Amino acid sequence: MIPNPNIPEVIQNVPLQYYLILSTLLFVIGIIGVLTRRNAIIIFMSVELMLNAANILLIAFSSYRSDPSGQVFVFFIMAVAAAEVAVGLAIIVMIYRNTRNTDIGFLNKLKW
Amino acid sequence: MSASLLVLIPLLPFLGFLINGIGFRTIPKGAVGIIGSLAVIGSFALSLNAFNAFVAAGSTPFVLPLFDWITVGDLNIPFSFQIDQLSLLMLMIITGVGSLIHIYSIGYMKHDEGFGKFFAYLNLFLFFMLLLVLGSNYVIMFIGWEGVGLCSYLLIGFWNKNTNYNNAARKAFIMNRVGDLGFLLGIFTIIATFGSVEYLEVFSKATGFQVGDPVIIAITLFLFIGAMGKSAQIPLYTWLPDAMAGPTPVSALIHAATMVTAGIYMVIRSNVLYSLAPSTLEFVGIIGGATALFAASIGLLQNDIKKVLAYSTVSQLGYMFMGLGAMAYSASMFHVITHAFFKALLFLGAGSVIHAMSDEQDIRSMGGLRKKLPITFLTFLIATIAISGIPPFAGFFSKDEILAHVFEHNKLLWVVGVLGSLMTSFYMFRLLFLTFFGKFRGTHDQEHHLHESPASMTIPLVILAVLSALGGFIGVPEALHGTHKLAEFMSPLYEGSRQVNPEAFLPTTLSHSEEYILMAVSVGVALISLIIAYVMYVQKESVPAPDSEEKSAVQNLIYNKYYVDELYNAVFVKPIKSLSNVLYSFGEFFIDLFVNGTARLIAFLGGLLRKTQTGSTGDYVFAMVLGIVVILFWKLLL
C-alpha cells in the first residue's frame, strides 16, 4: 500500500489490512453467534457485534483517506444503535414475559 | 320577466325533488305533500307570469343562454332555454295540469307507505319534462326525453313489490329505449348535416334545402321513431296500456297529459324539417291513423277501467299524429291541450272511482255509482262528452279541426278517423254507463265502503271539468264565426315552414258548408255510438261476460288485444332471451375456465411456497445470511 503523506505517522504504524482482518473476524463471529445461539439476548449481542465490525471498517477507511465523513457516519450509527438497543431489549423483555424464557425456539407461531 | 325567474320554472320542482327525495323518511306526510305541490304551483305561477310578459312584450321569441355546455371542435352546444309560443303553451299545460294532479295525489296517495318517494318522483318528472320543452336545442330535449323515461319507469314500478308491475316498468323502459335510439340517430344526423343542434340555427339552415331532400327525410324519420316510442304509436305502443300498473295520478300526468305528448311537441318543434319531408309526413299520418283505429278497437272490449282509458290515450295520440301528418300543427297542439284536460280528468275520475271501490278496477263489478259519487260522476260525464267530440265541449273543436285538415289531405285517413271517433264515443259511453248507471255489482263490503272522495281530490276534478268544458273555445273555427286564437298565437312558429313549403299553408279550400257537413258527420257518429251504448248498457243492462265464458273468435281477438303482446313475445322477447341464454352459458364456460384456472394455479404455487414458512427464527436468520452471501457473490465475484 502506498503511504499517504497526509496521514499522520501514528496511524500509519498500523497497516490498514489489520483493521480489515479485525472487522472481518468480528463480523464472522457475529454471524456464527446469530446462527448458532438460541438465546435471544446473545443473538442480539451478536447483531451488535456485526454492527460494530462495520463501524471499525468505516473509521479505518475514514482515517486512511483523510475523509472525516466516515467518522460522522459512525456517530450516527452509534446513536441509532443506542435507540435500537432500547427497542430490541424491550422486545426481548416482552418475549420473556410471554414465554418465561428467552429461547427463540419458542417463537415458532408465525408460520403456515 | 327576468331571466332568473324563468330558470326557476324547472328548478322549483327539482328543489322539491331534492327536499322530498333526501328527507322522505323524516319529513312528516303533511309537509311532503305541501312541499311537492307548492313547488309545482310555484312554477305554474311563474309560467303564467312568463306567458303574460311574453304576450305583453309583443310575442317575440328569445333564447335565454345559461352557460356553455359542450364545445367539441366546431360543434358548440350551449345550455339555454328557448322561450316562444310553443314552449310557453307546453309550460302552462305541464305545470297547470301538474299542479292539479299533485293536489289530487295528496288525497289519493294519503294511505300509501311511499308517499314521500311518490312526490319526489313526480317532482323529478316535472323537472325533466320542463327541461324537455324549454331547451333550445335537441340535446337538451334529449336529456329531458331520457329523464321523463326514467321517471316513467320509476313511477310505473312504484309499487315494486309486485313483479307484474316491475315487468310493466321494464317493458315501458325498454320500448322507449328502442325509440330513443332512433331519436339519437336523428340528432347525430342533424349534427352531421347542419353542424349544430340549436333549433334556430338548424331551422334557418334547413330553409336552404329542397322539399323532399333525402337527408331531411332520414332525419325526420329517425326523430319520428323516437316519437313512436315516447308517444306510444304502432309498433311501439304496447308499453302504454301496461304502464297503467302505476298509481292513477301517474297515469293521468305522465301517461295521458304530458310525457306521451312529447313526441307531438317534438314534431311541432321541428315543423320546418317535417314540412320539408312530405313522404315522412305521409308515413306519420298513416301510422297515426292506424294507431287511432287499432287502439280504439281494442278499447271497445276492455273491462279494466284504466285499460280502456289507456287505449283511448293511444288512440287520441294517433289522432294527433294524423293531424301532424296533414301539417295541421296547430290543430294537433290544440288537441294536445284539450286532451290534457279531459284525459287527465278521466284518469283522475277513474282514480276517484277506484279509491271509492277499494282498489277494484274491473267495470263489471261496478255500476250505479252515480248516486254515491255525484261529483266524480258529473266531471266524468263532462270528460266523456268532451272526448267523444260532442259540441260544445273541448274535444269537439280540436278533433274536428284535425279531421277537417285530414279530410283535405287524404280522404281515406279521414274515414279511418271518423271510424275511430265512432269507436271512441262508444267505448267511452260504455265505460260511463257500466260504471255509473244500473245496479251495483260489487261485493257487499265494497258497497259498504262507497264514498265520495275528499276535497283535495274533487277540487282538481271540478277545475279540470271546467277546462274540459270550456277549453275548446280558444280555437273556435272560422266556420262557426269564431276566432281561432290558438292558431293565430302559434302562427309565427311556422315562418320557416311557410317559406320552404308554401302550398301546405294556403288557406283552407273547404267551403263553410263542407265544413258543416264534416262536423255533422263526426258529431253524428258520436251521437249514434252514444245511443247504441245507451241501449246496450242502460236499457238492456247487459254486462260484459266474465273471462271464463266462451267468446266468438273476433271478440276473443279484440279482447286479447289482437295478440300483439304475444306476437312481440314470440318474435322479439323469446329469441333474444334464448340468444342471451346461449351467450351467457358460452361466456360463463370460457370465463369460468380462465378465472378458475388462474385461481387454482395460484393456489397450487402458493401451497408449494408456504412450506418455506417454518416459523422457526433460526431458519429465517439462516435464509437471511444465505441471501446476503448470495448477493455478495453475485455483486463481487460475478
Side-chain angles (χ1 to χ4, degrees):
Chain A
M1 183 167 183
I2 308 137
N4 191 327
N6 294 328
I7 300 167
E9 194 87 10
V10 192
I11 291 173
Q12 283 191 14
N13 279 343
V14 184
L16 185 59
Q17 286 91 330
Y18 287 15
Y19 290 103
L20 295 185
I21 290 164
L22 173 65
S23 82
T24 313
L25 276 176
L26 282 175
F27 195 82
V28 170
I29 290 169
I31 286 184
I32 290 170
V34 165
L35 286 180
T36 54
R37 306 305 288 258
R38 299 172 65 85
N39 189 318
I41 296 176
I42 305 230
I43 290 175
F44 194 53
M45 282 160 65
S46 309
V47 171
E48 290 300 313
L49 211 56
M50 287 194 278
L51 202 63
N52 283 309
N55 277 350
I56 289 174
L57 216 53
L58 275 169
I59 292 173
F61 278 114
S62 161
S63 303
Y64 277 83
R65 293 177 62 91
S66 299
D67 181 355
S69 57
Q71 293 172 43
V72 172
F73 207 5
V74 167
F75 274 115
F76 274 109
I77 293 175
M78 275 155 59
V80 172
E84 173 238 309
V85 165
V87 176
L89 282 176
I91 292 173
I92 290 170
V93 169
M94 289 311 293
I95 291 172
Y96 179 74
R97 281 192 189 161
N98 277 307
T99 61
R100 289 282 137 198
N101 208 320
T102 51
D103 190 334
I104 54 159
F106 281 89
L107 303 172
N108 59 355
K109 294 278 174 350
L110 200 65
K111 62 175 176 184
W112 42 273
Chain B
M1 183 82 189
S2 70
S4 57
L5 283 179
L6 280 173
V7 175
L8 275 182
I9 294 177
L11 277 187
L12 276 179
F14 188 66
L15 199 68
F17 159 69
L18 286 183
I19 295 173
N20 281 338
I22 294 171
F24 72 94
R25 280 184 210 287
T26 46
I27 300 176
K29 266 193 179 182
V32 165
I34 290 170
I35 292 170
S37 307
L38 272 186
V40 186
I41 295 171
S43 54
F44 177 54
L46 288 173
S47 306
L48 273 181
N49 191 359
F51 184 80
N52 286 335
F54 179 79
V55 174
S59 302
T60 35
F62 60 95
V63 172
L64 174 72
L66 295 177
F67 54 88
D68 268 346
W69 182 32
I70 299 176
T71 309
V72 187
D74 295 331
L75 180 67
N76 181 29
I77 304 175
F79 202 97
S80 45
F81 289 162
Q82 174 146 342
I83 307 297
D84 62 4
Q85 288 86 347
L86 183 57
S87 57
L88 283 169
L89 281 175
M90 288 301 286
L91 275 188
M92 302 231 291
I93 302 173
I94 295 163
T95 54
V97 176
S99 307
L100 293 174
I101 290 172
H102 272 73
I103 295 168
Y104 178 92
S105 305
I106 296 178
Y108 188 81
M109 298 296 286
K110 201 161 91 193
H111 304 297
D112 200 278
E113 291 167 35
F115 191 71
K117 197 173 75 168
F118 182 77
F119 271 89
Y121 286 166
L122 272 192
N123 276 343
L124 184 67
F125 165 77
L126 278 176
F127 165 68
F128 279 122
M129 192 67 209
L130 292 170
L131 213 58
L132 194 160
V133 297
L134 273 174
S136 77
N137 58 51
Y138 282 102
V139 178
I140 299 180
M141 191 201 270
F142 187 69
I143 303 175
W145 195 271
E146 291 296 303
V148 292
L150 167 73
C151 295
S152 157
Y153 164 80
L154 290 172
L155 285 164
I156 296 170
F158 181 72
W159 288 311
N160 51 21
K161 284 177 187 153
N162 184 325
T163 314
N164 284 339
Y165 294 180
N166 288 337
N167 287 343
R170 287 203 306 213
K171 186 175 179 180
F173 196 73
I174 291 169
M175 284 227 151
N176 269 302
R177 297 297 313 161
V178 175
D180 292 345
L181 178 66
F183 193 74
L184 258 186
L185 288 176
I187 295 178
F188 293 150
T189 325
I190 287 174
I191 293 175
T193 316
F194 300 106
S196 169
V197 287
E198 282 284 303
Y199 297 140
L200 292 178
E201 249 178 89
V202 170
F203 300 150
S204 68
K205 280 184 189 161
T207 48
F209 281 77
Q210 286 296 314
V211 171
D213 192 291
V215 179
I216 305 284
I217 290 179
I219 291 173
T220 48
L221 276 178
F222 280 140
L223 291 180
F224 182 58
I225 291 173
M228 276 180 185
K230 194 64 63 195
S231 297
Q233 295 299 294
I234 288 175
L236 298 177
Y237 73 97
T238 55
W239 67 269
L240 187 57
D242 283 20
M244 296 302 126
T248 312
V250 171
S251 312
L253 179 61
I254 302 186
H255 305 121
T258 54
M259 184 186 88
V260 287
T261 59
I264 290 121
Y265 163 79
M266 189 272 295
V267 175
I268 300 178
R269 177 57 85 199
S270 326
N271 65 74
V272 179
L273 300 179
Y274 278 89
S275 299
L276 277 168
S279 33
T280 311
L281 284 176
E282 204 70 30
F283 180 65
V284 172
I286 291 167
I287 290 282
T291 311
L293 190 66
F294 191 73
S297 72
I298 298 176
L300 289 177
L301 286 181
Q302 295 304 308
N303 291 326
D304 182 317
I305 186 167
K306 284 179 75 183
K307 280 273 157 70
V308 177
L309 295 177
Y311 280 106
S312 153
T313 306
V314 176
S315 154
Q316 296 299 314
L317 291 167
Y319 274 103
M320 296 171 204
F321 279 107
M322 220 155 75
L324 294 176
M327 281 202 245
Y329 301 119
S330 295
S332 292
M333 190 61 203
F334 190 17
H335 203 52
V336 167
I337 296 171
T338 57
H339 178 255
F341 295 151
F342 60 66
K343 190 50 67 62
L345 174 55
L346 284 171
F347 267 114
L348 296 186
S352 176
V353 169
I354 295 167
H355 193 69
M357 291 287 297
S358 330
D359 293 330
E360 174 65 63
Q361 300 196 2
D362 196 326
I363 51 175
R364 286 171 296 195
S365 315
M366 298 177 184
L369 298 182
R370 136 189 85 163
K371 293 188 194 82
K372 302 275 179 156
L373 306 168
I375 303 176
T376 309
F377 165 67
L378 267 179
T379 51
F380 206 90
L381 176 70
I382 292 172
T384 307
I385 299 175
I387 192 176
S388 306
I390 295 173
F393 290 176
F396 164 72
F397 294 103
S398 54
K399 194 189 275 184
D400 210 71
E401 197 184 335
I402 288 181
L403 286 178
H405 279 100
V406 171
F407 180 77
E408 233 180 307
H409 201 75
N410 186 339
K411 305 278 186 292
L412 189 70
L413 270 182
W414 178 79
V415 174
V416 168
V418 170
L419 269 179
S421 170
L422 180 93
M423 293 181 187
T424 307
S425 171
F426 180 78
Y427 65 68
M428 282 317 301
F429 279 106
R430 169 178 177 269
L431 184 66
L432 181 84
F433 292 145
L434 282 174
T435 312
F436 291 101
F437 286 78
K439 286 193 201 69
F440 188 73
R441 296 181 293 272
T443 61
H444 190 70
D445 263 359
Q446 286 172 331
E447 190 168 13
H448 192 66
H449 282 129
L450 280 180
H451 59 280
E452 181 60 281
S453 304
S456 64
M457 286 165 73
T458 49
I459 291 171
L461 288 179
V462 172
I463 297 175
L464 281 171
V466 171
L467 289 170
S468 305
L470 304 177
F473 292 107
I474 56 169
V476 181
E478 211 198 321
L480 293 176
H481 311 293
T483 45
H484 203 308
K485 294 200 194 71
L486 184 76
E488 272 170 34
F489 179 65
M490 288 182 71
S491 154
L493 287 172
Y494 317 125
E495 274 314 319
S497 307
R498 224 171 266 138
Q499 207 178 320
V500 297
N501 196 353
E503 304 102 78
F505 287 89
L506 293 177
T508 170
T509 51
L510 292 176
S511 67
H512 282 188
S513 55
E514 275 175 306
E515 277 192 51
Y516 291 141
I517 294 171
L518 292 181
M519 283 177 202
V521 169
S522 60
V523 174
V525 295
L527 288 175
I528 291 169
S529 297
L530 189 159
I531 293 162
I532 297 173
Y534 185 81
V535 170
M536 274 177 79
Y537 297 107
V538 179
Q539 287 193 336
K540 294 191 181 163
E541 292 194 0
S542 70
V543 175
D547 288 337
S548 51
E549 210 162 287
E550 283 288 317
K551 295 188 187 71
S552 70
V554 180
Q555 271 183 330
N556 238 338
L557 184 68
I558 294 177
Y559 186 69
N560 290 308
K561 306 144 198 167
Y562 297 104
Y563 296 101
V564 172
D565 277 328
E566 284 77 2
L567 180 77
Y568 283 180
N569 244 340
V571 178
F572 298 109
V573 179
K574 288 238 176 78
I576 288 179
K577 263 193 180 165
S578 30
L579 180 69
S580 45
N581 271 339
V582 169
L583 289 177
Y584 175 73
S585 30
F586 189 70
E588 192 86 327
F589 176 72
F590 278 103
I591 291 173
D592 276 8
L593 194 71
F594 180 69
V595 173
N596 290 346
T598 314
R600 290 239 177 80
L601 185 70
I602 301 282
F604 173 71
L605 292 178
L608 289 183
L609 200 62
R610 76 175 184 177
K611 295 280 189 320
T612 59
Q613 297 265 16
T614 56
S616 139
T617 321
D619 287 354
Y620 296 149
V621 175
F622 182 69
M624 226 165 80
V625 172
L626 204 67
I628 294 170
V629 171
V630 168
I631 290 171
L632 280 178
F633 263 93
W634 187 289
K635 284 285 153 194
L636 298 181
L637 300 182
L638 291 182

